Amino acid sequence: MGCVSSTDVAASSSSHSSSCKKYPIIGSNKIMNRKAHGTSETPVQQNLRWNVDRKTADRICNFNRHYAEHSGYLTKCPEFLAACQQAEKTKTTITFCDSNTGKPLFEAPKNRTMQEFLAESKQHGWPSFRDAEVNRKEVRCLRGGEVVSLAGTHLGHNLPDRAGNRYCINLVSVAGNPEECVN
């Protein structure tokens, strides 16, 4: 799982290996040490975007290291799908923010269309981001593939495929309102 060693990288295809040598940025397991609210200082925001379930979000983000929302959860969120349609129509991207802090974590689509982003996400069951869509200032991958925010939010897992790193992320973990609206 994840790009964790040069041996693993060498066994991959050349395009995959060059991507994995550079990314993901590996973080320390200390990021996920116990804090005031599970692995984070605060619970998830009160009014998460796309009408995602707050109780599920808090459990997945702050009191979990291995589990995920149900596969296909994103297809059961009409507000999210509508936001994707609007972004496609206006040829813009969507910024996915930490459900605890509101800090931007991912921006999609980049280097592909919204339809390609959605097709891959639906195929795998979770929003699936690529290296170009990751905010390197806020997102880390722990050894073993767990993807987390620097604030201690569990986001999902890096599951590389032939195209490179694929960050398979819980929608409930990235449904935060941007931090400027939170403060």
Side-chain angles (χ1 to χ4, degrees):
M1 282 191 232
C3 300
V4 297
S5 74
S6 57
T7 305
D8 294 336
V9 170
S12 301
S13 69
S14 61
S15 65
H16 179 153
S17 65
S18 64
S19 172
C20 285
K21 285 179 184 175
K22 190 173 180 182
Y23 301 115
I25 299 175
I26 304 296
S28 166
N29 278 325
K30 292 179 182 178
I31 295 169
M32 299 303 282
N33 282 353
R34 186 144 185 80
K35 298 177 186 74
H37 190 79
T39 56
S40 300
E41 292 297 338
T42 61
V44 296
Q45 298 171 0
Q46 287 295 321
N47 297 306
L48 294 169
R49 293 190 297 169
W50 310 308
N51 202 29
V52 302
D53 183 69
R54 186 173 185 274
K55 184 177 176 182
T56 300
D58 199 48
R59 180 175 41 82
I60 298 284
C61 292
N62 299 312
F63 298 98
N64 161 63
R65 299 289 306 277
H66 306 287
Y67 300 106
E69 66 202 13
H70 294 293
S71 176
Y73 183 87
L74 71 137
T75 64
K76 295 171 180 57
C77 294
E79 293 90 343
F80 171 69
L81 297 174
C84 291
Q85 287 176 340
Q86 181 62 26
E88 180 179 34
K89 182 178 176 182
T90 58
K91 298 190 184 321
T92 57
T93 59
I94 295 176
T95 300
F96 295 81
C97 299
D98 189 312
S99 290
N100 287 316
T101 66
K103 291 185 177 183
L105 302 177
F106 300 92
E107 184 180 353
K110 286 188 176 180
N111 300 331
R112 58 182 171 167
T113 67
M114 180 59 78
Q115 284 304 312
E116 291 167 332
F117 167 74
L118 278 175
E120 181 174 36
S121 297
K122 289 176 182 178
Q123 176 187 358
H124 295 290
W126 292 269
S128 296
F129 300 96
R130 295 296 178 166
D131 284 329
E133 298 166 327
V134 179
N135 178 352
R136 308 261 167 251
K137 293 179 182 176
E138 297 294 332
V139 176
R140 295 294 181 269
C141 190
L142 305 183
R143 299 218 180 266
E146 182 182 8
V147 181
V148 301
S149 75
L150 287 177
T153 305
H154 171 81
L155 303 174
H157 288 84
N158 180 24
L159 304 170
D161 60 16
R162 290 177 184 248
N165 292 308
R166 180 172 54 85
Y167 305 85
C168 204
I169 303 301
N170 295 292
L171 184 63
V172 298
S173 298
V174 292
N177 291 289
E179 64 185 325
E180 61 268 11
C181 298
V182 176
N183 297 329

